[in-house]
Structure formats: C-alpha cells, structure tokens
Amino acid sequence: MDQQELPSKQDIKIVRLGRQDVKALAELEHLCFGRGWTEEQFSLGLMRRVLHALGIKHGEVLVAYLVFFVVDDEVEVLNLAVKPEYRRKGLGAALLKAGLMACTKLEARLATLEVRVGNLPAQALYK
C-alpha cells in the first residue's frame, strides 16, 4: 500500500459498528489474531447489546476496530485490531481514546484489559 493512500489524522472517522459489520469484524479479527471471534459471536454480542464496537473505515473497508463490554460501571476491553499496513499511524490510540470516552458516557468508572506478555506493541499503546 502506498503511503499516500493511508488516511491522514484529519480523515480518521470513528464509527459505531453494528451487525452489518460482523463479516468485516471477523475478517479483520482473523487477519490480526489468526483465529478468534466468529461472525456469529460478533453478531450475537451486538444484537444482545452486551458488546460495543467502534471502527475506523478507509472508504468502505474496515481497517481498525475496538470491541468492549460494559457491565455496571466496569469496562473490559476485549480486542483492538488494526490492519498491518495501517499500524503505527495512531489509529489504535484514537480508537482506544474514543472507546474510553464512550464508556464515560455510559457511566463506567473502571476499565480493564489483558495483554499477552509478548505483545510489546499493545503494551506500549496501553501505557
């Protein structure tokens, strides 16, 4: 991918994802993590309104997403994924910030997440 094709920070638009996005969510999930949530799992979570999903699209293509649960006043960040060619452009940080802002509107006061010991890029982002 040509550097000129990447969205600039001014072009980044964070959108709420819904059931119409489950195919793209599952595809990006599998690209970034090898295996993971299926379309059905994303769909059920979104349909039952227990799962929240935010994404960044480049044109019509989902290039990054954040999914999280909110239970009472607690947030659990489940996954943050960015297409490899879009990494290190600030998309993950923008999604995490937007997700935490959305959670404060839902009156959440505590956020947790788990990060694999070997996932140094994620650890750096979360710090």
Side-chain angles (χ1 to χ4, degrees):
M1 171 169 285
D2 190 333
Q3 180 70 19
Q4 299 158 2
E5 294 179 49
L6 296 175
S8 69
K9 289 192 180 188
Q10 294 84 3
D11 295 333
I12 292 174
K13 184 174 180 187
I14 297 172
V15 296
R16 181 170 297 278
L17 301 175
R19 290 181 60 207
Q20 72 279 3
D21 299 297
V22 296
K23 182 175 169 75
L25 278 165
E27 288 173 355
L28 187 50
E29 171 92 356
H30 291 275
L31 174 68
C32 293
F33 303 117
R35 60 182 173 155
W37 289 38
T38 64
E39 287 182 43
E40 182 180 19
Q41 289 169 313
F42 280 117
S43 183
L44 284 172
L46 291 166
M47 180 180 69
R48 293 179 179 160
R49 298 179 185 255
V50 295
L51 181 71
H52 300 268
L54 300 177
I56 296 175
K57 293 183 178 182
H58 187 191
E60 294 299 313
V61 178
L62 182 67
V63 298
Y65 76 82
L66 171 73
V67 292
F68 55 93
F69 286 131
V70 178
V71 178
D72 295 326
D73 65 346
E74 282 190 43
V75 175
E76 182 178 354
V77 175
L78 301 170
N79 277 339
L80 173 65
V82 179
K83 283 185 87 166
E85 62 268 31
Y86 287 83
R87 292 179 183 161
R88 305 195 57 84
K89 307 289 182 216
L91 302 181
L95 273 173
L96 188 58
K97 182 178 179 181
L100 292 174
M101 293 294 291
C103 292
T104 60
K105 291 177 183 174
L106 297 170
E107 299 183 6
R109 298 179 344 168
L110 176 69
T112 61
L113 58 91
E114 293 181 15
V115 181
R116 286 188 298 272
V117 172
N119 191 344
L120 300 179
Q123 291 177 27
L125 170 65
Y126 299 140
K127 285 182 183 178

PDB file of all heavy atoms in Angstrom, residues 96-120:
ATOM      1  N   LEU A  96      -8.873   3.680  21.055  1.00  0.00           N
ATOM      2  CA  LEU A  96      -8.881   3.467  22.496  1.00  0.00           C
ATOM      3  C   LEU A  96      -9.399   4.712  23.216  1.00  0.00           C
ATOM      4  O   LEU A  96     -10.240   4.619  24.114  1.00  0.00           O
ATOM      5  CB  LEU A  96      -7.482   3.104  22.983  1.00  0.00           C
ATOM      6  CG  LEU A  96      -7.382   2.665  24.427  1.00  0.00           C
ATOM      7  CD1 LEU A  96      -8.270   1.462  24.723  1.00  0.00           C
ATOM      8  CD2 LEU A  96      -5.941   2.341  24.773  1.00  0.00           C
ATOM      9  N   LYS A  97      -8.953   5.866  22.799  1.00  0.00           N
ATOM     10  CA  LYS A  97      -9.421   7.123  23.405  1.00  0.00           C
ATOM     11  C   LYS A  97     -10.931   7.281  23.195  1.00  0.00           C
ATOM     12  O   LYS A  97     -11.667   7.605  24.127  1.00  0.00           O
ATOM     13  CB  LYS A  97      -8.677   8.300  22.794  1.00  0.00           C
ATOM     14  CG  LYS A  97      -9.060   9.632  23.388  1.00  0.00           C
ATOM     15  CD  LYS A  97      -8.249  10.757  22.773  1.00  0.00           C
ATOM     16  CE  LYS A  97      -8.660  12.096  23.350  1.00  0.00           C
ATOM     17  NZ  LYS A  97      -7.909  13.200  22.765  1.00  0.00           N
ATOM     18  N   ALA A  98     -11.403   7.046  21.980  1.00  0.00           N
ATOM     19  CA  ALA A  98     -12.833   7.169  21.689  1.00  0.00           C
ATOM     20  C   ALA A  98     -13.642   6.155  22.492  1.00  0.00           C
ATOM     21  O   ALA A  98     -14.727   6.464  22.988  1.00  0.00           O
ATOM     22  CB  ALA A  98     -13.088   6.993  20.195  1.00  0.00           C
ATOM     23  N   GLY A  99     -13.121   4.941  22.615  1.00  0.00           N
ATOM     24  CA  GLY A  99     -13.819   3.913  23.381  1.00  0.00           C
ATOM     25  C   GLY A  99     -13.936   4.286  24.851  1.00  0.00           C
ATOM     26  O   GLY A  99     -15.003   4.132  25.459  1.00  0.00           O
ATOM     27  N   LEU A 100     -12.872   4.792  25.417  1.00  0.00           N
ATOM     28  CA  LEU A 100     -12.918   5.190  26.823  1.00  0.00           C
ATOM     29  C   LEU A 100     -13.847   6.381  27.027  1.00  0.00           C
ATOM     30  O   LEU A 100     -14.561   6.455  28.031  1.00  0.00           O
ATOM     31  CB  LEU A 100     -11.511   5.480  27.337  1.00  0.00           C
ATOM     32  CG  LEU A 100     -10.608   4.247  27.439  1.00  0.00           C
ATOM     33  CD1 LEU A 100      -9.189   4.651  27.810  1.00  0.00           C
ATOM     34  CD2 LEU A 100     -11.159   3.220  28.415  1.00  0.00           C
ATOM     35  N   MET A 101     -13.872   7.302  26.070  1.00  0.00           N
ATOM     36  CA  MET A 101     -14.809   8.433  26.155  1.00  0.00           C
ATOM     37  C   MET A 101     -16.251   7.931  26.093  1.00  0.00           C
ATOM     38  O   MET A 101     -17.104   8.407  26.841  1.00  0.00           O
ATOM     39  CB  MET A 101     -14.546   9.441  25.037  1.00  0.00           C
ATOM     40  CG  MET A 101     -13.212  10.151  25.148  1.00  0.00           C
ATOM     41  SD  MET A 101     -13.100  11.212  26.585  1.00  0.00           S
ATOM     42  CE  MET A 101     -14.239  12.484  26.126  1.00  0.00           C
ATOM     43  N   ALA A 102     -16.524   6.975  25.215  1.00  0.00           N
ATOM     44  CA  ALA A 102     -17.872   6.402  25.111  1.00  0.00           C
ATOM     45  C   ALA A 102     -18.255   5.727  26.426  1.00  0.00           C
ATOM     46  O   ALA A 102     -19.406   5.814  26.858  1.00  0.00           O
ATOM     47  CB  ALA A 102     -17.943   5.407  23.956  1.00  0.00           C
ATOM     48  N   CYS A 103     -17.306   5.093  27.055  1.00  0.00           N
ATOM     49  CA  CYS A 103     -17.584   4.397  28.310  1.00  0.00           C
ATOM     50  C   CYS A 103     -17.898   5.370  29.441  1.00  0.00           C
ATOM     51  O   CYS A 103     -18.725   5.061  30.300  1.00  0.00           O
ATOM     52  CB  CYS A 103     -16.404   3.515  28.691  1.00  0.00           C
ATOM     53  SG  CYS A 103     -16.212   2.124  27.558  1.00  0.00           S
ATOM     54  N   THR A 104     -17.277   6.529  29.440  1.00  0.00           N
ATOM     55  CA  THR A 104     -17.604   7.508  30.488  1.00  0.00           C
ATOM     56  C   THR A 104     -19.041   7.993  30.323  1.00  0.00           C
ATOM     57  O   THR A 104     -19.717   8.252  31.312  1.00  0.00           O
ATOM     58  CB  THR A 104     -16.636   8.709  30.497  1.00  0.00           C
ATOM     59  OG1 THR A 104     -16.697   9.388  29.252  1.00  0.00           O
ATOM     60  CG2 THR A 104     -15.218   8.275  30.785  1.00  0.00           C
ATOM     61  N   LYS A 105     -19.512   8.071  29.081  1.00  0.00           N
ATOM     62  CA  LYS A 105     -20.908   8.452  28.855  1.00  0.00           C
ATOM     63  C   LYS A 105     -21.866   7.369  29.343  1.00  0.00           C
ATOM     64  O   LYS A 105     -23.016   7.649  29.655  1.00  0.00           O
ATOM     65  CB  LYS A 105     -21.150   8.744  27.380  1.00  0.00           C
ATOM     66  CG  LYS A 105     -20.451  10.005  26.907  1.00  0.00           C
ATOM     67  CD  LYS A 105     -20.655  10.236  25.437  1.00  0.00           C
ATOM     68  CE  LYS A 105     -19.878  11.467  24.999  1.00  0.00           C
ATOM     69  NZ  LYS A 105     -19.915  11.661  23.563  1.00  0.00           N
ATOM     70  N   LEU A 106     -21.366   6.139  29.409  1.00  0.00           N
ATOM     71  CA  LEU A 106     -22.160   5.026  29.934  1.00  0.00           C
ATOM     72  C   LEU A 106     -21.960   4.883  31.446  1.00  0.00           C
ATOM     73  O   LEU A 106     -22.371   3.898  32.036  1.00  0.00           O
ATOM     74  CB  LEU A 106     -21.775   3.722  29.225  1.00  0.00           C
ATOM     75  CG  LEU A 106     -22.057   3.678  27.730  1.00  0.00           C
ATOM     76  CD1 LEU A 106     -21.406   2.454  27.103  1.00  0.00           C
ATOM     77  CD2 LEU A 106     -23.546   3.688  27.462  1.00  0.00           C
ATOM     78  N   GLU A 107     -21.309   5.859  32.040  1.00  0.00           N
ATOM     79  CA  GLU A 107     -21.049   5.941  33.476  1.00  0.00           C
ATOM     80  C   GLU A 107     -20.131   4.844  33.999  1.00  0.00           C
ATOM     81  O   GLU A 107     -20.193   4.458  35.172  1.00  0.00           O
ATOM     82  CB  GLU A 107     -22.358   6.007  34.257  1.00  0.00           C
ATOM     83  CG  GLU A 107     -23.180   7.222  33.889  1.00  0.00           C
ATOM     84  CD  GLU A 107     -24.453   7.372  34.691  1.00  0.00           C
ATOM     85  OE1 GLU A 107     -24.690   6.594  35.636  1.00  0.00           O
ATOM     86  OE2 GLU A 107     -25.210   8.299  34.365  1.00  0.00           O
ATOM     87  N   ALA A 108     -19.249   4.355  33.151  1.00  0.00           N
ATOM     88  CA  ALA A 108     -18.245   3.393  33.594  1.00  0.00           C
ATOM     89  C   ALA A 108     -17.123   4.144  34.304  1.00  0.00           C
ATOM     90  O   ALA A 108     -16.747   5.242  33.905  1.00  0.00           O
ATOM     91  CB  ALA A 108     -17.691   2.631  32.396  1.00  0.00           C
ATOM     92  N   ARG A 109     -16.614   3.536  35.365  1.00  0.00           N
ATOM     93  CA  ARG A 109     -15.574   4.199  36.147  1.00  0.00           C
ATOM     94  C   ARG A 109     -14.274   3.429  36.171  1.00  0.00           C
ATOM     95  O   ARG A 109     -13.255   3.952  36.587  1.00  0.00           O
ATOM     96  CB  ARG A 109     -16.069   4.407  37.577  1.00  0.00           C
ATOM     97  CG  ARG A 109     -17.295   5.292  37.626  1.00  0.00           C
ATOM     98  CD  ARG A 109     -17.830   5.510  39.003  1.00  0.00           C
ATOM     99  NE  ARG A 109     -17.318   4.567  39.984  1.00  0.00           N
ATOM    100  CZ  ARG A 109     -17.467   4.691  41.278  1.00  0.00           C
ATOM    101  NH1 ARG A 109     -18.087   5.712  41.759  1.00  0.00           N
ATOM    102  NH2 ARG A 109     -16.993   3.789  42.114  1.00  0.00           N
ATOM    103  N   LEU A 110     -14.281   2.173  35.746  1.00  0.00           N
ATOM    104  CA  LEU A 110     -13.094   1.339  35.798  1.00  0.00           C
ATOM    105  C   LEU A 110     -12.969   0.581  34.490  1.00  0.00           C
ATOM    106  O   LEU A 110     -13.953   0.010  34.012  1.00  0.00           O
ATOM    107  CB  LEU A 110     -13.197   0.344  36.964  1.00  0.00           C
ATOM    108  CG  LEU A 110     -12.074  -0.672  37.099  1.00  0.00           C
ATOM    109  CD1 LEU A 110     -10.777   0.021  37.508  1.00  0.00           C
ATOM    110  CD2 LEU A 110     -12.444  -1.728  38.128  1.00  0.00           C
ATOM    111  N   ALA A 111     -11.781   0.589  33.913  1.00  0.00           N
ATOM    112  CA  ALA A 111     -11.537  -0.150  32.670  1.00  0.00           C
ATOM    113  C   ALA A 111     -10.415  -1.148  32.899  1.00  0.00           C
ATOM    114  O   ALA A 111      -9.417  -0.831  33.551  1.00  0.00           O
ATOM    115  CB  ALA A 111     -11.165   0.803  31.544  1.00  0.00           C
ATOM    116  N   THR A 112     -10.609  -2.353  32.371  1.00  0.00           N
ATOM    117  CA  THR A 112      -9.576  -3.384  32.470  1.00  0.00           C
ATOM    118  C   THR A 112      -9.335  -4.005  31.105  1.00  0.00           C
ATOM    119  O   THR A 112     -10.189  -3.935  30.210  1.00  0.00           O
ATOM    120  CB  THR A 112      -9.986  -4.508  33.453  1.00  0.00           C
ATOM    121  OG1 THR A 112     -11.185  -5.121  32.976  1.00  0.00           O
ATOM    122  CG2 THR A 112     -10.193  -3.983  34.852  1.00  0.00           C
ATOM    123  N   LEU A 113      -8.166  -4.591  30.960  1.00  0.00           N
ATOM    124  CA  LEU A 113      -7.838  -5.343  29.756  1.00  0.00           C
ATOM    125  C   LEU A 113      -6.711  -6.291  30.088  1.00  0.00           C
ATOM    126  O   LEU A 113      -6.006  -6.113  31.082  1.00  0.00           O
ATOM    127  CB  LEU A 113      -7.455  -4.418  28.596  1.00  0.00           C
ATOM    128  CG  LEU A 113      -6.282  -3.454  28.817  1.00  0.00           C
ATOM    129  CD1 LEU A 113      -4.974  -4.083  28.392  1.00  0.00           C
ATOM    130  CD2 LEU A 113      -6.522  -2.194  28.030  1.00  0.00           C
ATOM    131  N   GLU A 114      -6.572  -7.294  29.271  1.00  0.00           N
ATOM    132  CA  GLU A 114      -5.480  -8.247  29.412  1.00  0.00           C
ATOM    133  C   GLU A 114      -4.632  -8.161  28.164  1.00  0.00           C
ATOM    134  O   GLU A 114      -5.158  -8.036  27.056  1.00  0.00           O
ATOM    135  CB  GLU A 114      -6.010  -9.672  29.571  1.00  0.00           C
ATOM    136  CG  GLU A 114      -6.759  -9.895  30.863  1.00  0.00           C
ATOM    137  CD  GLU A 114      -7.248 -11.329  31.009  1.00  0.00           C
ATOM    138  OE1 GLU A 114      -6.788 -12.217  30.271  1.00  0.00           O
ATOM    139  OE2 GLU A 114      -8.104 -11.540  31.882  1.00  0.00           O
ATOM    140  N   VAL A 115      -3.318  -8.220  28.362  1.00  0.00           N
ATOM    141  CA  VAL A 115      -2.377  -8.158  27.249  1.00  0.00           C
ATOM    142  C   VAL A 115      -1.379  -9.294  27.417  1.00  0.00           C
ATOM    143  O   VAL A 115      -0.852  -9.504  28.514  1.00  0.00           O
ATOM    144  CB  VAL A 115      -1.613  -6.807  27.230  1.00  0.00           C
ATOM    145  CG1 VAL A 115      -0.655  -6.747  26.053  1.00  0.00           C
ATOM    146  CG2 VAL A 115      -2.578  -5.646  27.195  1.00  0.00           C
ATOM    147  N   ARG A 116      -1.139 -10.014  26.328  1.00  0.00           N
ATOM    148  CA  ARG A 116      -0.139 -11.076  26.382  1.00  0.00           C
ATOM    149  C   ARG A 116       1.235 -10.491  26.717  1.00  0.00           C
ATOM    150  O   ARG A 116       1.580  -9.392  26.273  1.00  0.00           O
ATOM    151  CB  ARG A 116      -0.082 -11.815  25.055  1.00  0.00           C
ATOM    152  CG  ARG A 116      -1.269 -12.728  24.815  1.00  0.00           C
ATOM    153  CD  ARG A 116      -1.085 -13.599  23.571  1.00  0.00           C
ATOM    154  NE  ARG A 116      -0.969 -12.818  22.365  1.00  0.00           N
ATOM    155  CZ  ARG A 116      -2.006 -12.411  21.624  1.00  0.00           C
ATOM    156  NH1 ARG A 116      -3.226 -12.712  21.977  1.00  0.00           N
ATOM    157  NH2 ARG A 116      -1.805 -11.719  20.535  1.00  0.00           N
ATOM    158  N   VAL A 117       2.011 -11.219  27.473  1.00  0.00           N
ATOM    159  CA  VAL A 117       3.336 -10.773  27.892  1.00  0.00           C
ATOM    160  C   VAL A 117       4.201 -10.412  26.688  1.00  0.00           C
ATOM    161  O   VAL A 117       4.929  -9.426  26.712  1.00  0.00           O
ATOM    162  CB  VAL A 117       4.022 -11.874  28.743  1.00  0.00           C
ATOM    163  CG1 VAL A 117       5.466 -11.526  29.040  1.00  0.00           C
ATOM    164  CG2 VAL A 117       3.251 -12.093  30.032  1.00  0.00           C
ATOM    165  N   GLY A 118       4.080 -11.159  25.609  1.00  0.00           N
ATOM    166  CA  GLY A 118       4.915 -10.929  24.433  1.00  0.00           C
ATOM    167  C   GLY A 118       4.398  -9.863  23.477  1.00  0.00           C
ATOM    168  O   GLY A 118       5.055  -9.558  22.484  1.00  0.00           O
ATOM    169  N   ASN A 119       3.256  -9.281  23.761  1.00  0.00           N
ATOM    170  CA  ASN A 119       2.660  -8.300  22.847  1.00  0.00           C
ATOM    171  C   ASN A 119       3.146  -6.899  23.234  1.00  0.00           C
ATOM    172  O   ASN A 119       2.417  -6.085  23.792  1.00  0.00           O
ATOM    173  CB  ASN A 119       1.130  -8.390  22.878  1.00  0.00           C
ATOM    174  CG  ASN A 119       0.489  -7.600  21.762  1.00  0.00           C
ATOM    175  OD1 ASN A 119       1.119  -6.758  21.128  1.00  0.00           O
ATOM    176  ND2 ASN A 119      -0.780  -7.873  21.520  1.00  0.00           N
ATOM    177  N   LEU A 120       4.402  -6.616  22.905  1.00  0.00           N
ATOM    178  CA  LEU A 120       5.014  -5.342  23.280  1.00  0.00           C
ATOM    179  C   LEU A 120       4.375  -4.127  22.608  1.00  0.00           C
ATOM    180  O   LEU A 120       4.222  -3.096  23.264  1.00  0.00           O
ATOM    181  CB  LEU A 120       6.522  -5.397  23.012  1.00  0.00           C
ATOM    182  CG  LEU A 120       7.268  -6.492  23.793  1.00  0.00           C
ATOM    183  CD1 LEU A 120       8.753  -6.496  23.445  1.00  0.00           C
ATOM    184  CD2 LEU A 120       7.054  -6.361  25.281  1.00  0.00           C
TER     185      LEU A 120
END
